[in-house]
Amino acid sequence: MNVSIRKQLTVILIGLMAVMFLANYLVNTFFLGGFYSVRKQQALVKAYEMLNQNIMDDGSMAADKLRAYEDICNTNSIFSMVTDENYQRLIWTDTTYKETDYTKNMRGRLNGYMLGLDRVDDDAILKQTDKYTIQKKYDSAVAIDYLEMWGTLDKGFYFIMRINMAGILESVHISNEFITYICLAGALLAAVLVWFISRQVTKPLGELTELSKRMADLDFDVKYTSGGNNEIGQLGEHFNQMSEKLEKAYSQLLTANNELQKDIERKEQIDDMRKEFLSNVSHELKTPIALIQGYAEGLQECVNDDAESRAFYCEVIMDEASKMNGLVQKLLTLNQLEFGNDKTEIERFDLADLIRNKIQSVAILAQQKDAGITYHGGETVYVWGDEFKIEEILTNYLSNALNHIDGERRIEVTVQEQDNVVRTSVFNTGEQIPEEDIDLIWDKFYKVDKARTREYGGSGVGLSIVKAIMEAHHQKYGVENCGDGVRFWFELQSGSVLAQEGKKEYE
């Protein structure tokens, strides 16, 4: 299952933030207490050095030094007491400056430390020098853990300092609780921001994906429109340029492919086509030449002297000559197609527009035959082919339909697209083609109803031209009998998505 980049970015970024918040939480839980303890040890050493450097021989301190010392103690919540050798208080940080049970207890504890009566486990000692000891101490009287520092000063006085560790643990707990709230709020905010930012990033990528998909289906009309000056915008511009170049290259490739296939087949067909051509031309021209010769001899010998007869003779000669000229022109066109002398230019064009123009051009002929022509298809239908030659096919199909129309006298031109192939069909009401003749009508000079063909001047070459054009395109064509008429059709490769089908009627 495909997962969008937008979702992947969102999951990755939120996951990274969650890992960072979790790491912060774990660091606070397992390391903040130790770090805080080290900092408080440093505070104790700082207070000791301040005390040791500024205490005087009588156990007092200058007023400004004492205030500085007390500031250090108050800032770091340090209880401090200095005694003489008899354990009488000289300096202490108890703001009441009065003897209390607590101060008595601390003097007793200092006495016990100095005399070695109060032993400390080695595991509890954090730092020890010849002047002082820093240790962890649990006070069972108040059920609180402390950091204690005790020892002697250079002046010979005794001292003890203590910091409540409960504040450290409480700070860690509060910090973790605060971080938890920040994590939740941050995760929510991050989800919104990441979703919005990833949308801005992935939107043009999604457009490029759709563009590439449509280009793969040979739809070169699609263009990248999101713009931008970053790498994605430049990529989109390159896609547009590539689309234009691919369309040109594809057009050239189709043209070259058609030429290549024609070259392969040309040598095998030339001899057979030459023989067949000479045979058919001689057969088709024999009758009009004989008529022209006969009527010309009649004029020369003055078979009929009246002006009306001479005019009739001349009219027959001109009519037969015109038919011969039309036949020769069609034969030349067919000859060029079959021999490959006429290059097929494959390009993309609007078939629907070509059909509408062709219907309008035969509208007068349709009115003369009291026929109605309707078009069923999209407003715009792009295909690949030689537009001029496809117009020749439409001309032959419509001309054939008008010449054989009967019954309801209805002609329908339909365009349908399926599986990237556009089929164009021309239907006319009238007599059906005998089944034994359906496969033969594409042959040169073949006529189903010779009398009727002669009546409207047909030469039997039009459908052969259609066959040659479609084979030059390497596309399918055909004819089929319907319930009340006949339908001729041909197919071309689609050049775009078929427009929404509509129906327009041209009378």
Side-chain angles (χ1 to χ4, degrees), residues 272-494:
D272 293 338
M273 291 175 61
R274 183 183 293 110
K275 294 177 182 179
E276 183 182 3
F277 178 77
L278 291 175
S279 175
N280 289 328
V281 167
S282 62
H283 176 76
E284 288 295 323
L285 293 181
K286 180 171 64 177
T287 299
I289 289 176
L291 287 173
I292 291 174
Q293 182 179 4
Y295 279 95
E297 290 175 353
L299 287 174
Q300 184 180 26
E301 296 175 1
C302 298
V303 175
N304 291 304
D305 293 334
D306 60 290
E308 183 178 353
S309 296
R310 288 197 299 272
F312 173 73
Y313 277 39
C314 291
E315 183 178 346
V316 171
I317 292 173
M318 293 174 60
D319 182 55
E320 294 300 325
S322 175
K323 291 178 181 178
M324 287 177 61
N325 181 59
L327 174 61
V328 169
Q329 292 297 326
K330 289 185 177 181
L331 287 173
L332 289 174
T333 299
L334 181 60
N335 185 57
Q336 289 180 339
L337 288 170
E338 291 182 335
F339 277 83
N341 296 327
D342 188 22
K343 185 177 181 181
T344 302
E345 297 287 347
I346 304 296
E347 60 183 359
R348 196 168 68 101
F349 67 93
D350 187 356
L351 178 62
D353 186 59
L354 179 64
I355 292 173
R356 287 192 291 267
N357 291 335
K358 181 53 61 177
I359 290 176
Q360 290 177 356
S361 68
V362 300
I364 295 178
L365 295 176
Q367 291 177 0
Q368 292 175 353
K369 292 181 176 289
D370 194 25
I373 305 178
T374 57
Y375 166 63
H376 305 269
E379 289 292 329
T380 301
V381 183
Y382 283 103
V383 295
W384 290 95
D386 189 317
E387 184 174 2
F388 177 78
K389 291 182 174 59
I390 299 305
E391 183 179 4
E392 181 73 14
I393 293 176
L394 290 172
T395 299
N396 281 304
Y397 276 2
L398 288 172
S399 176
N400 189 70
L402 287 170
N403 289 327
H404 293 84
I405 195 169
D406 205 350
E408 297 181 8
R409 311 190 72 77
R410 173 167 48 89
I411 298 176
E412 296 178 355
V413 182
T414 305
V415 175
Q416 295 176 319
E417 180 176 5
Q418 184 176 5
D419 298 331
N420 205 31
V421 173
V422 176
R423 171 175 287 199
T424 304
S425 61
V426 178
F427 167 82
N428 68 275
T429 57
E431 294 183 5
Q432 296 183 345
I433 301 174
E435 291 297 327
E436 62 272 15
D437 293 326
I438 283 183
D439 294 332
L440 302 175
I441 61 175
W442 307 101
D443 296 339
K444 291 188 291 290
F445 306 109
Y446 186 84
K447 303 171 186 177
V448 176
D449 187 346
K450 294 181 175 57
R452 184 170 183 180
T453 303
R454 183 71 183 174
E455 178 182 342
Y456 66 80
S459 61
V461 180
L463 293 180
S464 298
I465 293 177
V466 172
K467 174 184 177 181
I469 292 174
M470 293 312 301
E471 289 180 349
H473 281 74
H474 302 286
Q475 298 293 335
K476 297 179 180 179
Y477 62 98
V479 61
E480 56 187 2
N481 287 319
C482 302
D484 56 348
V486 179
R487 175 177 286 108
F488 285 85
W489 57 269
F490 66 92
E491 293 180 348
L492 292 172
Q493 185 175 352
S494 174

Side-chain angles (χ1 to χ4, degrees), residues 163-216:
I163 296 177
N164 187 347
M165 289 293 288
I168 298 175
L169 298 176
E170 184 179 1
S171 297
V172 171
H173 175 73
I174 293 174
S175 176
N176 283 339
E177 184 178 359
F178 178 73
I179 289 175
T180 301
Y181 294 141
I182 291 296
C183 287
L184 294 176
L188 180 61
L189 179 61
V192 174
L193 291 177
V194 168
W195 186 258
F196 175 77
I197 294 173
S198 62
R199 181 177 182 272
Q200 302 304 312
V201 174
T202 57
K203 181 180 178 181
L205 290 178
E207 182 178 350
L208 287 174
T209 301
E210 180 63 22
L211 186 150
S212 62
K213 179 181 178 181
R214 294 178 63 179
M215 284 179 60

Side-chain angles (χ1 to χ4, degrees), residues 78-302:
I78 299 174
F79 171 82
S80 173
M81 177 185 292
V82 179
T83 67
D84 58 16
E85 59 184 9
N86 297 317
Y87 303 102
Q88 298 298 314
R89 287 193 305 171
L90 300 175
I91 300 173
W92 63 95
T93 56
D94 190 339
T95 56
T96 63
Y97 286 87
K98 295 180 180 179
E99 189 74 51
T100 63
D101 291 340
Y102 185 74
T103 57
K104 291 178 181 180
N105 180 277
M106 293 305 297
R107 278 199 298 157
R109 186 177 297 279
L110 179 59
N111 185 14
Y113 288 149
M114 297 308 298
L115 296 177
L117 301 177
D118 193 348
R119 297 181 57 86
V120 180
D121 295 334
D122 293 339
D123 294 338
I125 296 176
L126 302 176
K127 185 176 181 181
Q128 190 170 32
T129 67
D130 57 349
K131 291 293 185 179
Y132 61 81
T133 299
I134 300 177
Q135 62 190 24
K136 291 187 293 185
K137 182 67 177 179
Y138 177 73
D139 192 335
S140 58
V142 291
I144 294 177
D145 287 317
Y146 288 94
L147 275 182
E148 284 187 345
M149 182 179 186
W150 56 270
T152 59
L153 302 175
D154 292 344
K155 301 294 185 179
F157 302 113
Y158 303 147
F159 77 93
I160 186 170
M161 299 179 186
R162 174 182 271 193
I163 296 177
N164 187 347
M165 289 293 288
I168 298 175
L169 298 176
E170 184 179 1
S171 297
V172 171
H173 175 73
I174 293 174
S175 176
N176 283 339
E177 184 178 359
F178 178 73
I179 289 175
T180 301
Y181 294 141
I182 291 296
C183 287
L184 294 176
L188 180 61
L189 179 61
V192 174
L193 291 177
V194 168
W195 186 258
F196 175 77
I197 294 173
S198 62
R199 181 177 182 272
Q200 302 304 312
V201 174
T202 57
K203 181 180 178 181
L205 290 178
E207 182 178 350
L208 287 174
T209 301
E210 180 63 22
L211 186 150
S212 62
K213 179 181 178 181
R214 294 178 63 179
M215 284 179 60
D217 294 333
L218 303 181
D219 181 6
F220 300 115
D221 288 335
V222 62
K223 299 295 181 185
Y224 177 77
T225 57
S226 293
N229 297 321
N230 55 16
E231 289 81 355
I232 297 178
Q234 295 175 6
L235 180 61
E237 182 61 29
H238 293 162
F239 260 87
N240 291 341
Q241 296 175 7
M242 182 173 64
S243 175
E244 296 175 0
K245 293 180 180 179
L246 281 177
E247 181 175 358
K248 294 179 181 178
Y250 188 70
S251 177
Q252 295 172 355
L253 180 62
L254 290 176
T255 302
N257 186 56
N258 276 295
E259 292 301 314
L260 179 61
Q261 293 188 39
K262 288 193 295 182
D263 289 340
I264 295 174
E265 300 170 358
R266 183 178 301 171
K267 291 184 179 180
E268 299 177 359
Q269 296 177 347
I270 287 178
D271 289 340
D272 293 338
M273 291 175 61
R274 183 183 293 110
K275 294 177 182 179
E276 183 182 3
F277 178 77
L278 291 175
S279 175
N280 289 328
V281 167
S282 62
H283 176 76
E284 288 295 323
L285 293 181
K286 180 171 64 177
T287 299
I289 289 176
L291 287 173
I292 291 174
Q293 182 179 4
Y295 279 95
E297 290 175 353
L299 287 174
Q300 184 180 26
E301 296 175 1
C302 298

